[in-house]
Amino acid sequence: MSFDTFLMVDWSGGNDRGSTPKKDAIWVCAARGGIADDPVYLRNRAVAEAWITAFIADERAAGRSVLAGFDFAFGYPAGFGHALTGSDDPFAVWDWFAARVKDAPDNNNRFDLAGQINALFPGIGPFWGNGRKRDIPHLPRKGLDRANHGMREKRSAEKQAKGAFPVWHLSGAGAVGSQVIMGLPVLSRLRARFGDELRVWPFEPLDQPIAIVEIWPSLIAKAVTATMPDGQIKDAHQVALLAQTLSRLPPDQVRAMLDVPYTVEGSILGIGHVEMLENIACPPAAPPPLKNDCFAMPQGAHWTPVDDALAHLRAHLATVTDIETVSLDQAAGRFLAADVIAVRAHPPAPNAAVDGYGFAGPAGEGVQNMPLVAGRSAAGRPYDGAVPAGHAIRTLTGANLPDGVDTVVLQEDVTATQTAIAFHGPLKQGANARKAGEDLRQGQMILPAHRRITPADLGTMAAAGVGQVQVRQRLRVGILSTGDELRDPGSHADSGQIYDANRPMLCALIGRWGYDVVDLGRAPDDRPELRAILDDAARRCDVIISSGGASAGDEDHMSALLEGTGSLALWRIAVKPGRPLALGLWHGRPAFGLPGNPVAAMVCAMVFAAPALRVLAGGDWTTAQGFQIPAAFSKSKKAGRREYLRARITDGRVEIFASEGSGRVSGLSWATGLVELGDAAQTVAPGDLVTYIPFGSFDP
Ligand code: AMP
Ligand code: MG
């Protein structure tokens, strides 16, 4: 069953609150399709009962199903109902109160009734608290005055919902006991009014278009506080927020929350799912803009070590993309905006790991003979009945284990006739069976925020009943080449001109990283033209990556323009190939000016831009994974800078490209990764272990 309309009711056990909206009164709010109506103030219970009844009737007349939540307990701690009514049926308690509660707007008999109930119990209590001046027989004014009444203080739900009040407490701040006594008669009449169309959670299966459930808005108190508009009445806001949140949940998540075992005590919707509810109620705020000085390095550093530059990026960059909800088929490669919670257990029920015969284990030593139950349990077609002890049933891989079965013997180990099987024991109890939830528990956090969703994650989420996830919008990355000498690949070029090698290379690289590539074309070495291109890029992109023109020369217009914004940091990084890396903000968009030389552009993109883009896109900071491999080359380097050499692996050893020239783009095609040599002086001889980082390790 899924629900079209969510109606949330904040109930009150007190007297009429007058005609102007006030706190601690009855507030209701409905939401459909993720949008809440305005909250409605209802001055007393008679008005509220009429309003709610008419609302539900109207929704049904419009063909809509309704889930109505009421914020008071639907049951009492186990044993109370039986003591009061002689029955274990929770509705007997509802009807008991419906027959005895007298409710007028300015007077009701709840305290007297509680005293009369206390008189039925031994000792003093369980009800306590008296809002009247006069003493009421059998009703202690203080909780501590109670003794030996035999009832548990809290329902299991109150133990799990921190801060929820026990049902015995009738008056004073936060007391809910009066709400229960004054609420159950109303629910009892709603049941009578809507008959077979209405079901009550968790006492009945919710297979009808009206469901009545117990709620407790304080379950999402954090989100209520965080989203509270100025001057709003809290009771009004919290019913609106809860209604809106429930109506925004995918139906499978609502069903997962409703999927709790029967208990006469009742339960509170959402226990165990608070994090998920709060994430929907109050999604993490849209990211703040980056600060203008975010790229500025500490003064005085002449050549910045690679690790310092990376640490600086890590400390100053933050996610810039907004959150959206997508279904799993759109989710691969996206960054999670919130933790993902298992909507159901995996496996959801105990099932068979092999084809064979199921029975109640263990099986003893020696030959085992078991009569077969007629029928079988197959995947998707479970056997409905119970299997008697000593009997077996044909059971196939993936089939739910019927009642009475916890062990499966492999069909290859069995001799079978139409009516019986024989096999050699022993066999341990639980053999060849999978336990419910042995892989994932319902409510368990399965994937953390900031993770990039892998194909395997899609499998895990699907198995855990998750159909939609909150992810970051795709990062839009603009790619620009700069330089008067550049021509488009395949076009005519004079001898003084070269082809733009960086743009196709960087577009493909960043596209492979899973971002939306915006090809910004080529910019000439002309400041006004470059400015116009950057202005346009800032409107269409979340981040701009350019190559060329990043140094401090006459024709280095990229760094000159960024300088003009006051946000430029021209990093002279102690790295080969690379060196000048211009970083700045253009209309608040981070801009990375990579070196023009293709090898340097590629290496700087992988070493600096890859982790930075990942953070901007909503991921966490990562470091490319390197491997220690014996060198097939010799080399000696000076101290003071890090070096990246184009490399590939042959016969288990790592070779390097013959030339280190940073214009030699062909070496990038030759290579499958980079050898990273540290900042210190180093002499490498063949056979020495060096760090090899495959190109793929730089992928986010
Ligand atoms: P620059 O950083 O602009 O001084 O450029 C450094 C070197 O890289 C020069 O030799 C440029 O011609 C070359 N270069 C710049 N951009 C590109 C590009 N997109 N494709 C190929 N080479 C480039
Ligand atoms: Mg240039």
Side-chain angles (χ1 to χ4, degrees):
M1 188 74 221
S2 62
F3 299 95
D4 303 310
T5 304
F6 293 82
L7 175 70
M8 295 299 120
V9 181
D10 188 336
W11 199 241
S12 158
N15 288 345
D16 185 278
R17 300 284 289 149
S19 55
T20 24
K22 288 185 187 61
K23 70 186 182 92
D24 297 333
I26 301 174
W27 285 91
V28 299
C29 186
R32 290 178 208 88
I35 308 218
D37 296 343
D38 286 335
V40 176
Y41 167 78
L42 298 167
R43 58 184 293 175
N44 63 47
R45 282 179 298 280
V47 173
E49 182 171 348
W51 190 97
I52 292 165
T53 308
F55 178 88
I56 296 176
D58 287 350
E59 291 300 297
R60 290 303 304 131
R64 288 191 284 264
S65 55
V66 186
L67 181 142
F70 292 82
D71 75 329
F72 55 82
F74 285 12
Y76 285 88
F80 173 80
H82 197 274
L84 185 71
T85 68
S87 158
D88 283 324
D89 180 357
F91 295 127
V93 176
W94 292 25
D95 299 340
W96 192 97
F97 280 113
R100 289 166 182 82
V101 166
K102 295 200 183 72
D103 193 3
D106 286 314
N107 190 24
N108 65 67
N109 64 343
R110 65 189 196 272
F111 295 109
D112 300 280
L113 211 48
Q116 288 162 31
I117 295 172
N118 279 355
L120 302 175
F121 283 78
I124 304 172
F127 287 106
W128 68 279
N130 179 355
R132 303 273 186 266
K133 287 209 180 69
R134 66 184 163 90
D135 283 336
I136 290 173
H138 303 290
L139 187 64
R141 288 196 181 265
K142 291 193 182 131
L144 288 173
D145 292 342
R146 295 174 302 160
N148 305 326
H149 53 72
M151 289 290 108
R152 278 194 291 113
E153 185 63 4
K154 288 185 170 183
R155 301 181 299 154
S156 150
E158 277 111 33
K159 287 189 193 142
Q160 294 170 66
K162 267 219 151 72
F165 272 59
V167 291
W168 311 122
H169 187 177
L170 297 182
S171 82
V176 72
S178 290
Q179 293 197 51
V180 185
I181 295 176
M182 303 313 292
L184 293 181
V186 175
L187 297 187
S188 173
R189 288 190 288 275
L190 284 175
R191 277 189 85 213
R193 161 70 175 78
F194 291 101
D196 200 40
E197 274 204 319
L198 181 148
R199 293 286 184 261
V200 178
W201 178 84
F203 305 146
E204 301 174 302
L206 301 185
D207 53 6
Q208 291 297 322
I210 305 170
I212 303 284
V213 308
E214 180 182 337
I215 56 163
W216 187 50
S218 299
L219 208 57
I220 57 164
K222 250 201 309 191
V224 169
T225 312
T227 57
M228 180 93 144
D230 277 348
Q232 171 73 294
I233 292 174
K234 183 174 165 198
D235 315 54
H237 177 59
Q238 65 187 12
V239 282
L241 185 66
L242 193 58
Q244 171 178 293
T245 302
L246 291 173
S247 79
R248 283 186 179 177
L249 285 175
D252 59 358
Q253 306 223 357
V254 175
R255 272 194 293 275
M257 286 197 302
L258 290 166
D259 184 13
V260 303
Y262 172 92
T263 157
V264 287
E265 297 188 339
S267 187
I268 295 171
L269 183 67
I271 283 177
H273 301 271
V274 173
E275 205 172 345
M276 172 183 81
L277 288 171
E278 293 205 314
N279 266 328
I280 304 266
C282 177
L290 297 173
K291 290 214 189 72
N292 214 27
D293 62 353
C294 67
F295 294 124
M297 284 298 281
Q299 290 300 306
H302 189 59
W303 288 97
T304 308
V306 172
D307 286 341
D308 290 7
L310 290 174
H312 193 83
L313 287 173
R314 179 178 192 167
H316 291 87
L317 291 178
T319 305
V320 296
T321 46
D322 274 345
I323 296 173
E324 61 181 340
T325 301
V326 299
S327 53
L328 288 197
D329 57 351
Q330 301 296 309
R334 307 291 287 275
F335 292 96
L336 282 171
D339 295 348
V340 179
I341 308 299
V343 169
R344 70 172 346 200
H346 183 251
N351 69 29
V354 298
D355 289 338
Y357 296 85
F359 60 93
E365 297 270 353
V367 173
Q368 306 290 313
N369 287 295
M370 292 181 190
L372 271 177
V373 169
R376 61 171 206 164
S377 191
R381 294 168 186 224
Y383 178 77
D384 276 340
V387 175
H391 287 59
I393 182 167
R394 179 77 173 130
T395 305
L396 300 176
T397 306
N400 281 2
L401 298 182
D403 284 348
V405 172
D406 59 12
T407 306
V408 183
V409 57
L410 199 65
Q411 86 181 15
E412 288 83 345
D413 295 341
V414 169
T415 318
T417 68
Q418 290 294 323
T419 55
I421 58 167
F423 63 93
H424 289 280
L427 195 61
K428 275 197 218 131
Q429 185 171 35
N432 300 316
R434 307 171 180 139
K435 293 194 188 62
E438 70 174 24
D439 184 21
L440 301 168
R441 282 173 293 106
Q442 185 187 346
Q444 174 186 345
M445 199 266 275
I446 51 177
L447 297 170
H450 305 298
R451 181 181 167 93
R452 185 159 206 230
I453 299 173
T454 66
D457 293 345
L458 297 179
T460 302
M461 289 192 285
V466 176
Q468 292 186 312
V469 277
Q470 283 184 287
V471 296
R472 295 286 168 179
Q473 284 177 357
R474 269 185 217 284
L475 188 74
R476 299 165 304 166
V477 185
I479 314 269
L480 176 68
S481 288
T482 68
D484 280 340
E485 74 278 30
L486 300 180
R487 284 293 168 272
D488 283 342
S491 66
H492 171 78
D494 296 330
S495 68
Q497 298 173 323
I498 60 167
Y499 289 112
D500 180 358
N502 291 350
R503 199 154 42 98
M505 183 171 75
L506 294 173
C507 283
L509 180 71
I510 283 157
R512 195 182 75 198
W513 289 349
Y515 307 128
D516 278 347
V517 170
V518 182
D519 187 343
L520 298 172
R522 284 186 287 113
D525 287 321
D526 173 86
R527 221 160 282 188
E529 269 198 57
L530 180 58
R531 178 194 301 279
I533 291 173
L534 292 177
D535 285 347
D536 169 58
R539 282 189 287 272
R540 295 197 284 146
C541 311
D542 300 308
V543 47
I544 302 163
I545 295 200
S546 66
S547 66
S551 306
D554 296 350
E555 296 295 343
D556 288 322
H557 302 286
M558 190 67 198
S559 36
L561 281 175
L562 287 176
E563 176 124 60
T565 68
S567 67
L568 172 78
L570 190 60
W571 288 8
R572 296 178 12 114
I573 298 177
V575 62
K576 182 185 172 190
R579 292 194 230 189
L581 190 61
L583 297 165
L585 293 180
W586 193 260
H587 298 308
R589 305 292 192 197
F592 287 73
L594 302 177
N597 272 314
V599 178
M602 183 78 154
V603 168
C604 287
M606 289 190 292
V607 174
F608 300 103
L613 292 185
R614 185 180 154 101
V615 169
L616 294 170
D620 40 18
W621 182 270
T622 52
T623 304
Q625 171 74 55
F627 302 90
Q628 297 296 304
I629 312 269
F633 62 92
S634 13
K635 162 159 178 94
S636 82
K637 75 175 273 293
K638 288 191 300 235
R641 69 177 183 199
R642 184 159 311 178
E643 293 192 16
Y644 291 95
L645 312 174
R646 281 149 283 177
R648 71 181 181 195
I649 293 183
T650 311
D651 299 331
R653 290 171 160 243
V654 56
E655 309 179 74
I656 55 170
F657 190 57
S659 159
E660 290 182 16
S662 85
R664 297 222 189 171
V665 67
S666 70
L668 286 173
S669 293
W670 175 91
T672 56
L674 300 174
V675 158
E676 182 185 54
L677 300 178
D679 299 357
Q682 192 179 351
T683 308
V684 179
D688 290 353
L689 291 180
V690 292
T691 303
Y692 168 76
I693 309 174
F695 286 141
S697 279
F698 292 101
D699 292 356

